[in-house]
Amino acid sequence: MNLNINSNKLLDKLVIHHLLERYNTYVNNERKKVYKFSFQKLSDFLIIRYILDSKSQFETYEEFFLKDYVIDFLKNNRSLLETLSEHIPIRMNGKEIYEIYTKEQFYDFLNTYIRSLRYRSDISFKGDIYQKTKSIIKYIKANKKEINYDDWLITIASCSIVDYHPLNCRNYFTPLLSKMSNSNRDIYLYDYLNCEYVRTRIISLCKIPYYSNLELLKRSFKINLCQLYFWMLGVWDREIRDKATKSLTIMLKSDLSIIDDLLDIFVKVNDQYIKERFLSSVFSSHKLNDDKKLLYNHYKKIRRILLKNKVSNIRIRYYFMQLQNLCYDMGLYKVKKNIKNILPIPKLDLIEVPHYEYNKKFSQLTKYSSIKFSL
């Protein structure tokens, strides 16, 4: 028995694992924490439905939601406000709760809305999912100084593999990270995994390939999951990095066609650690399969990408050589096993730089650049 654990730590652990839900309520302007069992979300749903049934057929939903007694009722219960954010889009043709109410009407309205996104059903996201993602992110960015950053990261982690969600990997996480520089991505993922709930969830998601019948999983679900693993290949956390690599290999082994989807991301990434581990997963997944046609197609695609980017990193070239060797062993590629003839070695240009320009030139390089200066 752990005698060092106290009641607050125990409650925090139960909240992290979603066995309890924690809310802030305000009585006479004094904040109090309220804990509920997760299944009590159903009671909130039924209460909101009861309130909505009192709407007159002669008034619109917008007129009903703006009535003083409805607003006063919601002010005293944030969990009901979270639930209402599910009902409003369904009943008002895709409108979000922030299009009805302003953040000044309710205390901590922004963070309540962010938390509500974790529980939304597919029918609450009507219309073009791309436009829905765009409008939600635009609203969050406009109010980013007022939101709880940990709540936002937890919401992203909670929605990352939900097929229909605007904030899943395909719709939000991957487009976001693909546009970042290596240094900014490292900082973002450091903060992302520094949140205890997020790290715990990622480790749990890495167990899915070991305990699931992968043939029964939807392709869209598998792509979201594999994209999440892909981005974890380059993180600072060794445990997550290793678990993600193994899980990705198992997923790719079960469906080699997912490699084509990931290559669309691979071509945009300039992170050597992600490239190394991804190539090792591609090699391992093909090693465990007998599909010669897909092996040759993937080999040719990856070779074109590396040639275009003039990759000189010796480790990336080594992992690619393993894939080429596999093609050779299967009789698909008739060349000797030699690291020098896999990819042409990029030309090295020596340029003399004046001392006063040294710092300026050096600052233009990323930490993954293969170019080095010496005084």
Side-chain angles (χ1 to χ4, degrees):
M1 183 176 177
N2 186 356
L3 299 178
N4 295 321
I5 194 166
N6 58 41
S7 58
N8 287 331
K9 285 184 179 179
L10 178 60
L11 286 172
D12 287 340
K13 289 291 184 184
L14 292 172
V15 169
I16 285 172
H17 292 282
H18 277 319
L19 296 174
L20 290 179
E21 297 285 344
R22 178 169 53 207
Y23 302 96
N24 291 325
T25 60
Y26 294 84
V27 180
N28 297 325
N29 292 325
E30 182 180 350
R31 187 177 75 169
K32 292 185 178 181
K33 292 181 180 179
V34 176
Y35 294 87
K36 291 184 177 184
F37 290 104
S38 294
F39 63 78
Q40 287 182 271
K41 296 291 291 182
L42 175 61
S43 67
D44 293 334
F45 186 89
L46 296 175
I47 291 170
I48 287 294
R49 192 170 69 177
Y50 174 78
I51 294 171
L52 292 172
D53 287 342
S54 67
K55 183 187 83 70
S56 167
Q57 60 179 333
F58 301 108
E59 61 184 347
T60 64
Y61 275 110
E62 190 159 359
E63 291 171 340
F64 174 76
F65 288 135
L66 294 175
K67 284 185 173 181
D68 289 340
Y69 81 88
V70 175
I71 294 174
D72 290 340
F73 186 77
L74 293 172
K75 278 182 178 178
N76 297 322
N77 197 323
R78 287 173 59 193
S79 63
L80 290 182
L81 195 62
E82 283 184 24
T83 309
L84 187 61
S85 72
E86 158 83 5
H87 284 271
I88 286 178
I90 295 172
R91 295 169 186 257
M92 298 187 68
N93 199 28
K95 270 196 173 183
E96 292 292 325
I97 193 170
Y98 57 76
E99 297 177 76
I100 305 299
Y101 297 122
T102 64
K103 60 186 180 182
E104 289 76 23
Q105 287 177 285
F106 301 96
Y107 182 82
D108 206 23
F109 176 78
L110 291 166
N111 293 310
T112 301
Y113 174 68
I114 286 172
R115 282 189 289 274
S116 74
L117 290 169
R118 306 169 199 171
Y119 310 107
R120 295 274 289 270
S121 66
D122 56 344
I123 59 173
S124 69
F125 294 117
K126 293 183 177 180
D128 186 340
I129 196 70
Y130 173 76
Q131 291 301 325
K132 179 62 73 173
T133 304
K134 195 174 178 180
S135 64
I136 290 174
I137 298 306
K138 183 179 179 181
Y139 178 71
I140 298 298
K141 281 184 176 179
N143 299 281
K144 62 183 179 181
K145 293 182 179 179
E146 301 173 52
I147 67 172
N148 182 312
Y149 192 53
D150 277 355
D151 267 344
W152 175 237
L153 293 178
I154 290 171
T155 297
I156 294 171
S158 299
C159 305
S160 59
I161 59 171
V162 181
D163 286 351
Y164 59 81
H165 209 287
L167 299 180
N168 65 20
C169 279
R170 294 182 75 177
N171 295 325
Y172 175 68
F173 199 58
T174 291
L176 173 71
L177 295 181
S178 297
K179 295 175 183 177
M180 289 184 179
S181 65
N182 290 328
S183 54
N184 287 342
R185 190 188 305 120
D186 286 347
I187 294 169
Y188 181 88
L189 291 175
Y190 179 85
D191 292 338
Y192 185 67
L193 294 176
N194 233 14
C195 178
E196 187 176 359
Y197 169 82
V198 174
R199 189 177 185 280
T200 303
R201 178 167 173 78
I202 298 297
I203 290 175
S204 298
L205 293 178
C206 286
K207 297 176 182 178
I208 289 177
Y210 294 95
Y211 303 108
S212 303
N213 185 341
L214 301 182
E215 293 180 359
L216 299 179
L217 298 179
K218 288 183 179 179
R219 179 175 169 77
S220 56
F221 175 85
K222 290 195 283 187
I223 289 175
N224 274 309
L225 190 59
C226 286
Q227 287 189 8
L228 180 65
Y229 294 154
F230 180 87
W231 293 114
M232 295 301 110
L233 300 181
V235 298
W236 57 273
D237 190 310
R238 181 183 294 274
E239 181 184 2
I240 288 182
R241 198 169 62 223
D242 291 344
K243 287 180 182 296
T245 304
K246 294 174 184 176
S247 299
L248 180 61
T249 301
I250 297 172
M251 293 295 293
L252 296 182
K253 171 185 173 290
S254 70
D255 188 352
L256 290 173
S257 65
I258 296 176
I259 294 175
D260 292 297
D261 294 278
L262 295 181
L263 284 176
D264 293 335
I265 308 170
F266 179 82
V267 72
K268 302 173 186 176
V269 175
N270 189 31
D271 188 317
Q272 69 175 25
Y273 301 115
I274 291 179
K275 288 189 172 184
E276 288 171 15
R277 286 179 173 263
F278 176 67
L279 289 177
S280 70
S281 289
V282 171
F283 165 74
S284 300
S285 60
H286 274 296
K287 182 78 172 174
L288 298 169
N289 278 278
D290 297 321
D291 195 324
K292 293 184 179 182
K293 184 178 179 180
L294 274 178
L295 169 61
Y296 188 67
N297 288 341
H298 291 153
Y299 168 77
K300 296 293 281 186
K301 280 186 179 180
I302 293 170
R303 188 171 190 274
R304 281 197 297 269
I305 293 170
L306 298 183
L307 280 172
K308 184 178 179 181
N309 295 333
K310 298 181 180 179
V311 174
S312 61
N313 183 282
I314 192 67
R315 289 175 62 86
I316 293 175
R317 293 166 68 87
Y318 171 78
Y319 284 116
F320 180 69
M321 184 185 72
Q322 298 295 332
L323 194 61
Q324 187 268 344
N325 285 348
L326 187 58
C327 291
Y328 180 86
D329 292 339
M330 291 188 175
L332 300 174
Y333 205 71
K334 297 180 180 179
V335 294
K336 293 181 180 180
K337 301 179 181 182
N338 187 334
I339 194 169
K340 292 181 180 179
N341 60 22
I342 304 168
L343 294 168
I345 297 175
K347 182 182 176 183
L348 176 63
D349 293 323
L350 297 176
I351 304 173
E352 186 175 343
V353 181
H355 184 273
Y356 60 86
E357 289 187 5
Y358 173 79
N359 289 331
K360 180 181 177 181
K361 293 286 186 184
F362 190 77
S363 66
Q364 295 173 355
L365 302 175
T366 67
K367 68 177 182 178
Y368 301 110
S369 176
S370 58
I371 303 173
K372 296 185 182 297
F373 284 97
S374 65
L375 289 171

